Amino acid sequence: MTLTKIRTAAASSLAAAGLLFALAACSTPAATQPSTSAPASPATASSSAASEPCAGVKVVVDSGALKQAAADGSVCVPVDAPTLASKVLDEAKVKTEGTDAYPKELVCRVNGVPAADFDIAHKGGTYREECKKMPAAFAYWSLWVKPASGPWAYAQEGLATLKVSPGQSLELLYTVDGAPATPAA
């Protein structure tokens, strides 16, 4: 087995394991207080929102290689203390869906992407995400966190337990065959 194949196999295994650990999505959000301003939906947020400073938590959804505008966007969610990622996504109007087997532990779809009838092109051909068990190790949503200053890091907790603080960014990124490997901004 070549070093490239070993690395690919290891990356696929880590990605699948990371999904269980890092994406405890679709959890019941903590009780929310009504906010004074309703954030815009990421799908309708202006493109300048990605570059503007955010005093709260910047939420980014990037469908990556899928290039599905229905999912993509960026919005600033006002928070003044560490807040559960699931609540921040709820306030940002980002809808996540889990799988039949892992309804709260995994993210299978974000804002309906990828749709059940959408052909995902990958190195092995095409694939359709049914959201039954585990998403494919070569095509999945990953969760990333970025401090106010510093690089993006793969989340070490899932949406149900991860807390994000003012000044941080939270991104859901769809990866196919390892690309994109990390968030762009």
Side-chain angles (χ1 to χ4, degrees), residues 33-40 54-59 75-81 83 87-88 91-92 164-167:
Q33 297 288 330
S35 66
T36 54
S37 63
C54 176
V57 172
K58 185 183 295 184
V59 174
V75 66
C76 182
V77 175
V79 299
D80 57 7
T83 306
K87 180 178 178 185
V88 170
E91 299 256 342
V164 286
S165 298

mmCIF file of all heavy atoms in Angstrom, residues 33-40 54-59 75-81 83 87-88 91-92 164-167:
data_model
loop_
_atom_site.group_PDB
_atom_site.id
_atom_site.type_symbol
_atom_site.label_atom_id
_atom_site.label_comp_id
_atom_site.label_asym_id
_atom_site.label_seq_id
_atom_site.Cartn_x
_atom_site.Cartn_y
_atom_site.Cartn_z
ATOM 1 N N GLN A 33 -33.998 33.105 24.369
ATOM 2 C CA GLN A 33 -34.669 34.355 24.673
ATOM 3 C C GLN A 33 -34.929 35.033 23.339
ATOM 4 O O GLN A 33 -34.108 34.968 22.449
ATOM 5 C CB GLN A 33 -33.744 35.252 25.522
ATOM 6 C CG GLN A 33 -33.394 34.668 26.869
ATOM 7 C CD GLN A 33 -34.572 34.709 27.812
ATOM 8 O OE1 GLN A 33 -35.411 35.582 27.723
ATOM 9 N NE2 GLN A 33 -34.647 33.754 28.712
ATOM 10 N N PRO A 34 -36.047 35.714 23.187
ATOM 11 C CA PRO A 34 -36.269 36.418 21.935
ATOM 12 C C PRO A 34 -35.186 37.465 21.758
ATOM 13 O O PRO A 34 -34.830 38.165 22.696
ATOM 14 C CB PRO A 34 -37.640 37.074 22.108
ATOM 15 C CG PRO A 34 -38.240 36.505 23.353
ATOM 16 C CD PRO A 34 -37.153 35.849 24.120
ATOM 17 N N SER A 35 -34.633 37.547 20.567
ATOM 18 C CA SER A 35 -33.597 38.547 20.327
ATOM 19 C C SER A 35 -34.245 39.831 19.856
ATOM 20 O O SER A 35 -35.336 39.834 19.306
ATOM 21 C CB SER A 35 -32.587 38.035 19.309
ATOM 22 O OG SER A 35 -33.205 37.895 18.061
ATOM 23 N N THR A 36 -33.533 40.928 20.050
ATOM 24 C CA THR A 36 -34.076 42.217 19.665
ATOM 25 C C THR A 36 -33.989 42.423 18.164
ATOM 26 O O THR A 36 -34.723 43.214 17.613
ATOM 27 C CB THR A 36 -33.332 43.354 20.392
ATOM 28 O OG1 THR A 36 -31.939 43.207 20.135
ATOM 29 C CG2 THR A 36 -33.600 43.297 21.881
ATOM 30 N N SER A 37 -33.080 41.727 17.512
ATOM 31 C CA SER A 37 -33.000 41.846 16.059
ATOM 32 C C SER A 37 -32.880 40.457 15.471
ATOM 33 O O SER A 37 -32.055 39.666 15.895
ATOM 34 C CB SER A 37 -31.798 42.698 15.656
ATOM 35 O OG SER A 37 -30.610 42.078 16.060
ATOM 36 N N ALA A 38 -33.699 40.180 14.489
ATOM 37 C CA ALA A 38 -33.671 38.871 13.846
ATOM 38 C C ALA A 38 -32.569 38.858 12.805
ATOM 39 O O ALA A 38 -32.536 39.709 11.924
ATOM 40 C CB ALA A 38 -35.016 38.585 13.187
ATOM 41 N N PRO A 39 -31.622 37.917 12.883
ATOM 42 C CA PRO A 39 -30.567 37.859 11.901
ATOM 43 C C PRO A 39 -31.120 37.423 10.552
ATOM 44 O O PRO A 39 -32.101 36.709 10.473
ATOM 45 C CB PRO A 39 -29.589 36.820 12.453
ATOM 46 C CG PRO A 39 -30.363 36.063 13.467
ATOM 47 C CD PRO A 39 -31.494 36.921 13.922
ATOM 48 N N ALA A 40 -30.436 37.871 9.511
ATOM 49 C CA ALA A 40 -30.833 37.476 8.166
ATOM 50 C C ALA A 40 -30.476 36.025 7.934
ATOM 51 O O ALA A 40 -29.566 35.492 8.553
ATOM 52 C CB ALA A 40 -30.103 38.348 7.140
ATOM 53 N N CYS A 54 -17.647 41.269 13.147
ATOM 54 C CA CYS A 54 -18.846 40.772 13.823
ATOM 55 C C CYS A 54 -18.570 40.791 15.324
ATOM 56 O O CYS A 54 -17.659 40.119 15.794
ATOM 57 C CB CYS A 54 -19.154 39.356 13.338
ATOM 58 S SG CYS A 54 -20.538 38.571 14.180
ATOM 59 N N ALA A 55 -19.374 41.534 16.056
ATOM 60 C CA ALA A 55 -19.212 41.593 17.507
ATOM 61 C C ALA A 55 -19.747 40.329 18.179
ATOM 62 O O ALA A 55 -19.367 40.010 19.289
ATOM 63 C CB ALA A 55 -19.915 42.822 18.062
ATOM 64 N N GLY A 56 -20.624 39.609 17.492
ATOM 65 C CA GLY A 56 -21.164 38.358 18.006
ATOM 66 C C GLY A 56 -20.405 37.183 17.428
ATOM 67 O O GLY A 56 -19.178 37.173 17.427
ATOM 68 N N VAL A 57 -21.129 36.185 16.918
ATOM 69 C CA VAL A 57 -20.519 35.013 16.276
ATOM 70 C C VAL A 57 -20.880 35.047 14.799
ATOM 71 O O VAL A 57 -22.062 35.125 14.444
ATOM 72 C CB VAL A 57 -21.013 33.694 16.907
ATOM 73 C CG1 VAL A 57 -20.520 32.492 16.115
ATOM 74 C CG2 VAL A 57 -20.552 33.592 18.355
ATOM 75 N N LYS A 58 -19.861 35.002 13.951
ATOM 76 C CA LYS A 58 -20.096 34.950 12.512
ATOM 77 C C LYS A 58 -20.372 33.503 12.134
ATOM 78 O O LYS A 58 -19.603 32.608 12.453
ATOM 79 C CB LYS A 58 -18.897 35.463 11.732
ATOM 80 C CG LYS A 58 -19.179 35.538 10.222
ATOM 81 C CD LYS A 58 -17.975 35.966 9.412
ATOM 82 C CE LYS A 58 -17.581 37.376 9.741
ATOM 83 N NZ LYS A 58 -16.473 37.860 8.904
ATOM 84 N N VAL A 59 -21.509 33.269 11.480
ATOM 85 C CA VAL A 59 -21.893 31.939 11.029
ATOM 86 C C VAL A 59 -21.716 31.896 9.519
ATOM 87 O O VAL A 59 -22.241 32.748 8.803
ATOM 88 C CB VAL A 59 -23.359 31.624 11.401
ATOM 89 C CG1 VAL A 59 -23.799 30.301 10.791
ATOM 90 C CG2 VAL A 59 -23.531 31.603 12.910
ATOM 91 N N VAL A 75 -23.658 35.267 8.173
ATOM 92 C CA VAL A 75 -24.457 36.192 8.971
ATOM 93 C C VAL A 75 -23.815 36.331 10.350
ATOM 94 O O VAL A 75 -23.182 35.399 10.840
ATOM 95 C CB VAL A 75 -25.926 35.697 9.073
ATOM 96 C CG1 VAL A 75 -26.030 34.405 9.841
ATOM 97 C CG2 VAL A 75 -26.831 36.745 9.664
ATOM 98 N N CYS A 76 -23.967 37.492 10.945
ATOM 99 C CA CYS A 76 -23.467 37.737 12.296
ATOM 100 C C CYS A 76 -24.618 37.554 13.275
ATOM 101 O O CYS A 76 -25.670 38.177 13.138
ATOM 102 C CB CYS A 76 -22.902 39.150 12.390
ATOM 103 S SG CYS A 76 -22.216 39.535 14.016
ATOM 104 N N VAL A 77 -24.419 36.684 14.250
ATOM 105 C CA VAL A 77 -25.441 36.417 15.260
ATOM 106 C C VAL A 77 -25.023 37.126 16.548
ATOM 107 O O VAL A 77 -23.944 36.864 17.084
ATOM 108 C CB VAL A 77 -25.599 34.901 15.509
ATOM 109 C CG1 VAL A 77 -26.578 34.640 16.640
ATOM 110 C CG2 VAL A 77 -26.047 34.203 14.237
ATOM 111 N N PRO A 78 -25.870 38.026 17.054
ATOM 112 C CA PRO A 78 -25.513 38.737 18.280
ATOM 113 C C PRO A 78 -25.523 37.809 19.497
ATOM 114 O O PRO A 78 -26.534 37.184 19.791
ATOM 115 C CB PRO A 78 -26.589 39.820 18.397
ATOM 116 C CG PRO A 78 -27.713 39.381 17.532
ATOM 117 C CD PRO A 78 -27.163 38.427 16.517
ATOM 118 N N VAL A 79 -24.382 37.691 20.146
ATOM 119 C CA VAL A 79 -24.250 36.978 21.420
ATOM 120 C C VAL A 79 -23.317 37.797 22.299
ATOM 121 O O VAL A 79 -22.439 38.488 21.798
ATOM 122 C CB VAL A 79 -23.709 35.528 21.265
ATOM 123 C CG1 VAL A 79 -24.641 34.678 20.425
ATOM 124 C CG2 VAL A 79 -22.326 35.499 20.688
ATOM 125 N N ASP A 80 -23.502 37.709 23.597
ATOM 126 C CA ASP A 80 -22.625 38.463 24.498
ATOM 127 C C ASP A 80 -21.909 37.565 25.501
ATOM 128 O O ASP A 80 -21.231 38.048 26.398
ATOM 129 C CB ASP A 80 -23.397 39.568 25.206
ATOM 130 C CG ASP A 80 -24.591 39.054 25.991
ATOM 131 O OD1 ASP A 80 -24.749 37.819 26.106
ATOM 132 O OD2 ASP A 80 -25.368 39.888 26.483
ATOM 133 N N ALA A 81 -22.056 36.249 25.339
ATOM 134 C CA ALA A 81 -21.414 35.282 26.230
ATOM 135 C C ALA A 81 -21.275 33.966 25.463
ATOM 136 O O ALA A 81 -21.898 33.797 24.409
ATOM 137 C CB ALA A 81 -22.268 35.081 27.473
ATOM 138 N N THR A 83 -22.066 30.662 23.904
ATOM 139 C CA THR A 83 -23.397 30.190 23.530
ATOM 140 C C THR A 83 -23.274 28.883 22.766
ATOM 141 O O THR A 83 -22.351 28.717 21.962
ATOM 142 C CB THR A 83 -24.096 31.252 22.648
ATOM 143 O OG1 THR A 83 -24.077 32.512 23.328
ATOM 144 C CG2 THR A 83 -25.528 30.873 22.328
ATOM 145 N N LYS A 87 -27.656 26.706 19.225
ATOM 146 C CA LYS A 87 -28.493 27.897 19.410
ATOM 147 C C LYS A 87 -28.082 28.995 18.430
ATOM 148 O O LYS A 87 -28.941 29.673 17.854
ATOM 149 C CB LYS A 87 -28.384 28.403 20.842
ATOM 150 C CG LYS A 87 -29.230 29.627 21.098
ATOM 151 C CD LYS A 87 -29.152 30.107 22.525
ATOM 152 C CE LYS A 87 -29.990 31.359 22.695
ATOM 153 N NZ LYS A 87 -29.860 31.925 24.029
ATOM 154 N N VAL A 88 -26.788 29.153 18.225
ATOM 155 C CA VAL A 88 -26.302 30.166 17.289
ATOM 156 C C VAL A 88 -26.813 29.862 15.879
ATOM 157 O O VAL A 88 -27.288 30.753 15.175
ATOM 158 C CB VAL A 88 -24.760 30.263 17.333
ATOM 159 C CG1 VAL A 88 -24.220 31.136 16.210
ATOM 160 C CG2 VAL A 88 -24.300 30.802 18.690
ATOM 161 N N GLU A 91 -30.497 30.707 15.664
ATOM 162 C CA GLU A 91 -30.686 32.163 15.551
ATOM 163 C C GLU A 91 -30.310 32.662 14.156
ATOM 164 O O GLU A 91 -30.884 33.630 13.672
ATOM 165 C CB GLU A 91 -29.842 32.886 16.608
ATOM 166 C CG GLU A 91 -30.207 32.526 18.017
ATOM 167 C CD GLU A 91 -31.005 33.589 18.726
ATOM 168 O OE1 GLU A 91 -31.016 34.738 18.282
ATOM 169 O OE2 GLU A 91 -31.638 33.244 19.732
ATOM 170 N N ALA A 92 -29.357 31.987 13.502
ATOM 171 C CA ALA A 92 -28.927 32.367 12.155
ATOM 172 C C ALA A 92 -29.869 31.819 11.086
ATOM 173 O O ALA A 92 -29.655 32.047 9.896
ATOM 174 C CB ALA A 92 -27.504 31.870 11.896
ATOM 175 N N VAL A 164 -19.585 28.720 21.449
ATOM 176 C CA VAL A 164 -18.804 29.725 20.737
ATOM 177 C C VAL A 164 -19.005 31.067 21.417
ATOM 178 O O VAL A 164 -20.057 31.324 21.997
ATOM 179 C CB VAL A 164 -19.183 29.787 19.242
ATOM 180 C CG1 VAL A 164 -18.631 28.586 18.496
ATOM 181 C CG2 VAL A 164 -20.678 29.871 19.041
ATOM 182 N N SER A 165 -17.980 31.895 21.360
ATOM 183 C CA SER A 165 -17.979 33.166 22.076
ATOM 184 C C SER A 165 -17.965 34.339 21.108
ATOM 185 O O SER A 165 -17.594 34.192 19.944
ATOM 186 C CB SER A 165 -16.739 33.250 22.972
ATOM 187 O OG SER A 165 -16.775 32.219 23.942
ATOM 188 N N PRO A 166 -18.336 35.528 21.601
ATOM 189 C CA PRO A 166 -18.289 36.712 20.753
ATOM 190 C C PRO A 166 -16.907 36.862 20.113
ATOM 191 O O PRO A 166 -15.888 36.645 20.763
ATOM 192 C CB PRO A 166 -18.576 37.861 21.722
ATOM 193 C CG PRO A 166 -19.378 37.223 22.814
ATOM 194 C CD PRO A 166 -18.813 35.835 22.949
ATOM 195 N N GLY A 167 -16.897 37.197 18.838
ATOM 196 C CA GLY A 167 -15.644 37.361 18.096
ATOM 197 C C GLY A 167 -15.231 36.115 17.341
ATOM 198 O O GLY A 167 -14.391 36.178 16.449
#
